[in-house]
Every structure is written in structure tokens, then in C-alpha cells.
Amino acid sequence: MLFYLQKAARAGLGLLHRPLARAFGPIDNPLNHLGALIIFFCWIVLISGIWLLIFFRTSVAGAFESLEYLTYEQWYLGGIMRSLHRYASDAAIAALFVHIVKEFAFDTYRLKRWFSWVTGVPLVWLVFALGVTGYWLVWDELAQYVAITSAELLDRLPIFTDSMAGNFLTDSAMSDRFFTLMAFLHLVGLPIFLVFGIWLHVFRLSRPVINPPRRLMAGTLLCMLVLSFVFPAVSQNKANLAKATQSVDLDWFYLHVYPLVQISSPGFVWLLLVGISCLICFAPWLPPGRLAEAAVVDLANCNGCERCVDDCPFGAIQMQARTDGRKYDAEAVVDPGLCARCGICVGACPTATPFRSRGELIPGIDLPELTAAELRERIGTVAGSLSGNKRVLSFSCSGSSTAESLRKAGEAVVEVKCMGQLPPPFLDYVLSRDLADAVLLTGCSDGRCRYRFGTHWTEDRVTRKRDPRLRKRIDESRICRAWQDFPEYQGSVLRQLAALRSVLPEQSTDDEEASG
Amino acid sequence: MRRFFGQLITYAAFAAGIGLFSVWPDYRMLGDDEAIVSITFSHAAKRVGECRQLTPAEISELPPNMRKPNSCPRERHPMYLEIRANGEIIFAETLLPSGMWSDGKANVYNRTRIKAGDYRLFIGMNDSGDQGRFDYELSVETEIESGQNLVIGFDGSSNTFLVE
């Protein structure tokens, strides 16, 4: 069930991704910066909100009038700020929705990512609460509808002794103090929790991406500015509690649940919302989930170089004073509670070299699920099946389904947990030992990596920008990188493989005869 | 240039989507010829029994700091509220007193859709547990306009219904 849901979500995102990738390229693709875009939209909301606050009057009589002044008298600034405030809030919800779907679709909410996933749930509630209180403050017909329906929802909870909704049925029951309370919630209380929630959300991630690319920021801001001029946000008729609201122009981004209160009941809506929230919270532990053994440090081979600490995407490795009395200053320590079992640390370890002739191949840090020694053995076995001209050995990460597709096409594939697990000396090993004529590295594209930086670090290592670098004696043209934005689109991998073969020199016929 | 147009189209679609769904489609909760009758008030119903004078022996059995001459039951009766419009019941509900010991006020909140027009409204409430009669009642002729929010309340100090 979950598998098919994820597959459907991937297919849906794929439809969105292809045109976006064409228009924006891989770096600026908005789908790769959803979290950062949400934070950027929150900045717009904050700055525009400060401007609105300067002119906003927290009273029954003043709230509506002050916003009317901003919208019509000060349209060139206050009106634009108000529109930006609304549209950036709506954009944040849209991005939030795609962000959640994307993390779910690509299964990046399990293992050690559970913390960000679960802390994201209260964030969603907070963002909606901010939106609802914001609409409340306008005190137009929509605010009246929002106030009554929200109060009906709250009345369903065993919190208030008297009916809260009863306060919104007559003008005499309304007081200015209520607006002060709502303004406090919207402007101070909820935003403080939101900032804290965002911090907690990215707390266990190393190098969290907070800002989207500047071009994307400029583009979305310009886009919302134009929208604000062309289609400014305005209030509906002033709230009149003596009248029943007959129809409202609903903001469906924030208020889509509200009609459900009338169609069903407040109790059902609570049940639905709390049920969905609980389901989302427990999703990381729903089948098919599994947790292998965390990375282990071998002190006899650990020289305390700290590369694993730098590369770990989850901050699961720390350095501590040497405990074995060897001459090095420090040693790496893995926190199994934070380790995602991706093996990126192994790929960063300078001692993970398959060329060792003496003793066992045990690097300073290793992944028990697939050790460096097992990886070397696996390479030997798979490469042994290669024959003929233009032998290509493919490496694929387990997060994408490219390995399966390549196997179906009759290609030799070595599967690793994450491409970042593959130390560059292993590529050197394959090519210099003539195990293959070329190597294809394929897996999730940067920004899509289940373990965040696996593809990024691999790319940097192979292009000799990051340690451990690929040795200079290796001809880069024999290493093809084919990162996949969407694992469902396997055609491009096979095309890139064909392109790689086409540039490989023909081997001598003697070799062919010998192998035949 | 192709990329530029691609981005232009994407941003335009993004803006259109945001602008459109922030106000459209409108949500209609009432028909053009409909109004709302809202009922909202809190009322403490009568207690289930009268206070009883304790005997000296019963008083002496009580802890010294809790001795008092009377024993009053805390529980209150359920409250029954019925509203009829032109003889047709539009709201009828038995409301339980709040509180762990059923000694608090009973709260009523309800919004009922009704066709606009002239009505004879009857509001009856029983809070003494006597079946078959209303302790408080009000009959009123009223014209309910389309889109009106007619609020029915109860003034506990004068024990009368309020219709506004």
C-alpha cells in the first residue's frame, strides 16, 4: 500500500519535475529547495507583517478600518505589503505540501530522518494556526466565518466551560481585548514557537540548507510582487454578527478544512486531523522499515583525520581524545542513535583503500552492512562477469532503482548503500587493475539523495575538489556520472551508458579472441 | 532563451495558482433565501434534591472542619430545550450539566439553517426534571430576513429568553 502510494507520489512529482528541471536547471530547480523556499517565504511574511503591524489597530472597530486604509489609501506600500503577506503565506503552504509529498515519495523520512519528519508535524499545525489567526484579525466576513468555525472546533475540545463560539454571535459579546489576544498570538506567540520549531526541525542535520539560491529568491519575490500589483489582496465586507455569512471567498490553502466542519461535524474534523497527524508521525516506523548496524570505528586503522566527521550528513560522528594511547590526537566516535547507516563516512576514510596487500581490508570506519572488504569482493565478482569489448562496471546506490534497470539491461552492477559510500580508491582499483574499461556511477541526483550529501560528496571527490580525491592517474573520461532526478526514468541512464561506450576505444581483436 | 521562457511560464503559473486559490472558488454555506437561528447560553439547572437538615448525630460523624447543618446534593437536573418554528421542531435536545459531579452549568450552542420568512417561534426549557412541562417558555412572532443571524439566549438573572 505504502509502496504504491510512494510510487504514485513519485510519478506525480515527476510530471512537475521534468519541466522545472528544463526551465531552471539542476541547481535552481525549486523542487530541490522546497524547505529553504518555505523559510524564504516566512521571511517575506515576517517583513511584510512588521509593516502591517505598524498600522494595525487591535480593536473591533479599528482592525477592519486600519487594513482598509492600508489597502486603499496606502496601496502603493501598505497594500502591496498586505498582498505580499498573504501570497507568501499561501506560497509557503503550497511549498510545504510539495515538501511533505516529496520526502514521503522518496522515502527520506525514515531512519535518522525521522526526527525532522516528526518535528515537521507540529510545524504544519503552527503554520496553519498562524494563517487562521491572521485571517481572524482582518475582521471581515471571512474573519467572521473563520472566527465562528474555529470557535466551534475549539468548543469540541474539553477546554472551555462556556461555549466560545457564543462570543461571535452578537456584536455586544465582542471586545477589543479579544483582538489584543489574537494579535499577540499571531504576531508574537505563534511565531516564537515557529522559529523554535524550524530550529528543531533542522537540528539533527549537519549543513542544513536555510536559503534557496539567490536567483530563485529573486524570481519568486518578483513573481509575488507582480501578483500583488495586478491582483492585490483585499478584505471582504466588514464583519456583521447580526448577519449570517452566506458565502465567502475562501483561501483554500489555509481554510480547506473549514467547509468540512459544516458538512460533517467538529468532532469528525478533529478526528481526521489528529488521525492524519498521528499517522504521519508514526510513518517512519511503519513497514517496510529496517535498521542495520551503525558504522563502527576501528581504532587500529583510525588516524583521527576527521574527514568522516566533516562528511557525515547527520552529525553522527564526533572526535574525542585518543583512548588507545596511539600517537594521534583524536579518534572518531559514532553515535548509533544518529547514524543513518549510509556509509558516507567510509567513502571519506583515507584508509578505505582496496589496494592493501597485507592483512585484511579494515578501514578506520566501516559499515557492517556492507564492509569495504565485502565491497571489494563484490566488485571482483561482478567485474569477473564482464567480457568482450568496452567493459563497463556500474555502481548504483540502493536508494534508486537504477541497479535493477541496469541488471535487466544485462549490465554488471555493484550496488552500494549510498554513492557516498564508495571511496575514490575503489574506482582507481577497478580501472588500474583492468577489472573494467570504464565505470558508470549512477544514483539519486544531488538534492534528491536519501542521505543528503552522498551524491554531492561523490561528485566533489571524483572531480578532485574534496578529500579523498580521485588519483590524477585516472582518466576522468572513463568515469561517467549519471545522476537520476527520478528513479522511474531509467532511459537516460542507459543512454548515458551507450554514450560512454561510444567514446571508449576499441580493444584489440587478440583480446577479444582470447576472451572468447 | 528557452530556459528564460520556461522560467517565465513557471513563475506565471505559480502566481496564477497562488492568486486563484487564495480566493476561488467561493464557499457558499447559506442559500439566498436562508437565515440562521443561533442558540447560545449557559444555564444552571435546578439541583436534583432539596437541602436536608442533618441530625446532631450525623453532624458529629463529620470531620470537625467539615461540619455544617445542611446537606445539599450537588447534582443538577439535565436541561431540556425545545424550539419550534411555526409548530415545527427545529431544535430539541437534552443537555447535561457540566462538571465531574454534574453540578455545573449546561451549555447550549447550536446554529440551525432556516428559510427566511414570518415565523411564530416557541422556545421552551425544562430544568427541574418534571416531564411534560416547560419551566420557562416564550412565544414570539418574528420576521426572519434572508441572511439574518437570529440569536436566542437566556438571561439567568430574570429567567427569560432573549431573542435578538
Side-chain angles (χ1 to χ4, degrees):
Chain A
M1 172 72 177
L2 212 58
F3 172 78
Y4 290 110
L5 270 177
Q6 287 179 317
K7 200 172 175 183
R10 280 200 297 272
L13 285 171
L15 293 175
L16 204 59
H17 189 276
R18 271 188 286 189
L20 287 176
R22 270 193 213 113
F24 289 85
I27 295 172
D28 288 351
N29 189 336
L31 277 187
N32 292 338
H33 303 281
L34 289 165
L37 269 175
I38 296 167
I39 294 176
F40 174 61
F41 293 144
C42 286
W43 277 113
I44 299 176
V45 171
L46 177 73
I47 292 164
S48 55
I50 289 172
W51 186 259
L52 298 180
L53 171 67
I54 294 169
F55 297 91
F56 185 71
R57 279 183 276 151
T58 53
S59 64
V60 179
F64 182 83
E65 304 303 338
S66 58
L67 283 171
E68 288 294 282
Y69 165 76
L70 281 170
T71 307
Y72 295 105
E73 301 291 318
Q74 204 197 89
W75 64 269
Y76 48 88
L77 189 56
I80 296 303
M81 285 294 188
R82 182 185 179 185
S83 302
L84 274 179
H85 196 68
R86 176 189 283 190
Y87 294 137
S89 310
D90 288 339
I93 288 290
L96 191 64
F97 175 73
V98 185
H99 183 51
I100 294 169
V101 170
K102 189 186 163 203
E103 299 304 313
F104 168 73
F106 294 108
D107 215 31
T108 49
Y109 60 96
R110 291 178 187 273
L111 299 172
K112 292 307 117 187
R113 301 287 284 269
W114 75 265
F115 187 79
S116 300
W117 177 262
V118 171
T119 52
V121 175
L123 273 180
V124 175
W125 279 82
L126 271 175
V127 170
F128 274 98
L130 264 169
V132 167
T133 50
Y135 274 111
W136 207 319
L137 287 174
V138 180
W139 205 233
D140 58 357
E141 281 184 342
L142 178 61
Q144 183 179 339
Y145 168 71
V146 168
I148 292 172
T149 313
S150 304
E152 285 175 358
L153 274 170
L154 290 172
D155 277 342
R156 192 67 188 80
L157 301 176
I159 299 175
F160 306 105
T161 49
D162 288 343
S163 164
M164 186 185 174
N167 293 321
F168 302 106
L169 296 182
T170 56
D171 284 316
S172 57
M174 287 292 296
S175 77
D176 293 348
R177 288 186 67 188
F178 181 76
F179 273 85
T180 311
L181 170 71
M182 290 312 292
F184 174 79
L185 274 177
H186 185 72
L187 305 168
V188 184
L190 293 173
I192 285 176
F193 281 106
L194 185 71
V195 170
F196 175 71
I198 292 172
W199 171 77
L200 202 64
H201 188 58
V202 298
F203 175 67
R204 284 170 74 164
L205 301 176
S206 65
R207 300 181 179 85
V209 182
I210 302 297
N211 296 316
R214 283 183 185 174
R215 282 189 295 265
L216 203 54
M217 285 198 270
T220 47
L221 179 61
L222 186 67
C223 168
M224 280 186 281
L225 264 174
V226 171
L227 179 64
S228 301
F229 273 104
V230 176
F231 191 54
V234 292
S235 303
Q236 296 175 36
N237 292 329
K238 190 176 179 180
N240 179 1
L241 297 179
K243 293 194 74 177
T245 314
Q246 289 183 303
S247 71
V248 282
D249 296 333
L250 213 58
D251 182 336
W252 292 92
F253 291 99
Y254 277 94
L255 306 171
H256 50 269
V257 166
Y258 278 56
L260 207 56
V261 178
Q262 274 88 46
I263 294 165
S264 58
S265 70
F268 174 78
V269 171
W270 276 120
L271 201 68
L272 189 74
L273 296 180
V274 173
I276 290 173
S277 299
C278 287
L279 196 65
I280 291 173
C281 279
F282 291 120
W285 296 278
L286 292 178
R290 64 193 177 86
L291 200 59
E293 208 179 323
V296 288
V297 175
D298 182 69
L299 282 184
N301 288 289
C302 174
N303 59 16
C305 69
E306 296 191 25
R307 283 178 193 163
C308 54
V309 178
D310 286 342
D311 283 9
C312 177
F314 303 100
I317 309 170
Q318 291 193 332
M319 301 306 290
Q320 69 172 25
R322 208 75 198 185
T323 56
D324 59 354
R326 295 183 71 200
K327 61 177 180 176
Y328 304 113
D329 291 336
E331 65 184 35
V333 185
V334 177
D335 180 347
L338 295 176
C339 177
R341 284 78 168 159
C342 58
I344 289 176
C345 52
V346 184
C349 185
T351 63
T353 167
F355 290 103
R356 284 195 205 182
S357 54
R358 283 189 300 173
E360 280 185 86
L361 169 51
I362 303 174
I365 191 163
D366 211 349
L367 194 68
E369 197 179 342
L370 176 62
T371 63
E374 287 167 348
L375 180 59
R376 182 173 65 178
E377 197 182 322
R378 194 180 282 187
I379 289 170
T381 308
V382 176
S385 66
L386 288 169
S387 61
N389 237 340
K390 303 184 176 184
R391 297 163 302 154
V392 177
L393 182 63
S394 301
F395 287 91
S396 171
C397 72
S398 59
S400 71
S401 53
T402 41
E404 194 54 42
S405 307
L406 286 166
R407 276 194 204 102
K408 277 183 190 164
E411 297 296 334
V413 189
V414 175
E415 207 170 335
V416 289
K417 198 74 190 294
C418 170
M419 283 314 292
Q421 185 190 357
L422 188 66
F426 277 72
L427 302 178
D428 187 3
Y429 178 74
V430 170
L431 296 173
S432 63
R433 293 283 169 99
D434 197 30
L435 299 177
D437 301 310
V439 167
L440 176 85
L441 303 180
T442 180
C444 315
S445 65
D446 191 15
R448 261 269 303 105
C449 174
R450 178 185 291 191
Y451 302 107
R452 302 183 66 225
F453 300 131
T455 308
H456 195 81
W457 294 161
T458 305
E459 187 73 19
D460 283 359
R461 289 168 189 163
V462 171
T463 52
R464 303 181 179 105
K465 291 176 189 160
R466 186 178 188 85
D467 283 329
R469 293 168 163 81
L470 185 69
R471 288 182 70 176
K472 284 185 180 166
R473 69 179 182 184
I474 301 298
D475 177 8
E476 261 191 79
S477 66
R478 293 170 71 192
I479 300 176
C480 172
R481 282 107 61 198
W483 310 126
Q484 302 302 297
D485 282 327
F486 279 82
E488 273 70 16
Y489 309 143
Q490 301 306 333
S492 63
V493 178
L494 298 176
R495 276 199 299 278
Q496 280 171 286
L497 192 60
L500 175 64
R501 282 212 170 91
S502 69
V503 296
L504 286 176
E506 293 285 342
Q507 281 188 323
S508 70
T509 48
D510 292 346
D511 288 348
E512 282 177 38
E513 281 164 11
S515 62
Chain B
M1 188 53 84
R2 202 174 131 187
R3 183 171 274 200
F4 171 77
F5 279 112
Q7 291 188 13
L8 201 66
I9 291 167
T10 306
Y11 282 128
F14 172 69
I18 296 291
L20 189 67
F21 293 114
S22 69
V23 289
W24 182 89
D26 68 335
Y27 173 61
R28 175 163 284 276
M29 56 288 261
L30 275 184
D32 286 337
D33 59 343
E34 285 185 316
I36 291 281
V37 174
S38 305
I39 310 145
T40 175
F41 62 88
S42 301
H43 175 65
K46 295 190 177 67
R47 296 193 188 275
V48 294
E50 295 297 318
C51 292
R52 181 175 66 82
Q53 183 91 35
L54 295 176
T55 62
E58 283 174 322
I59 293 171
S60 65
E61 280 174 14
L62 291 169
N65 63 326
M66 294 178 74
R67 285 176 186 163
K68 53 182 182 177
N70 296 322
S71 168
C72 299
R74 293 176 65 171
E75 295 81 4
R76 294 183 186 277
H77 284 289
M79 183 174 91
Y80 176 75
L81 182 68
E82 185 177 298
I83 298 172
R84 291 183 218 140
N86 292 344
E88 188 187 339
I89 294 177
I90 60 167
F91 178 82
E93 206 166 301
T94 302
L95 303 144
L96 299 175
S98 58
M100 285 176 69
W101 306 103
S102 299
D103 58 346
K105 290 178 176 178
N107 297 306
V108 56
Y109 172 82
N110 182 268
R111 281 160 60 84
T112 304
R113 287 159 69 148
I114 193 168
K115 291 274 180 200
D118 293 324
Y119 284 96
R120 177 168 187 77
L121 280 181
F122 170 80
I123 311 156
M125 183 167 77
N126 176 299
D127 69 347
S128 60
D130 291 342
Q131 301 291 323
R133 71 176 184 87
F134 291 110
D135 300 308
Y136 317 95
E137 56 181 58
L138 174 74
S139 286
V140 62
E141 299 273 351
T142 184
E143 183 195 351
I144 299 178
E145 292 173 10
S146 165
Q148 186 182 344
N149 180 28
L150 186 90
V151 181
I152 297 172
F154 186 79
D155 180 7
S157 58
S158 60
N159 283 338
T160 51
F161 286 105
L162 306 170
V163 178
E164 52 181 303

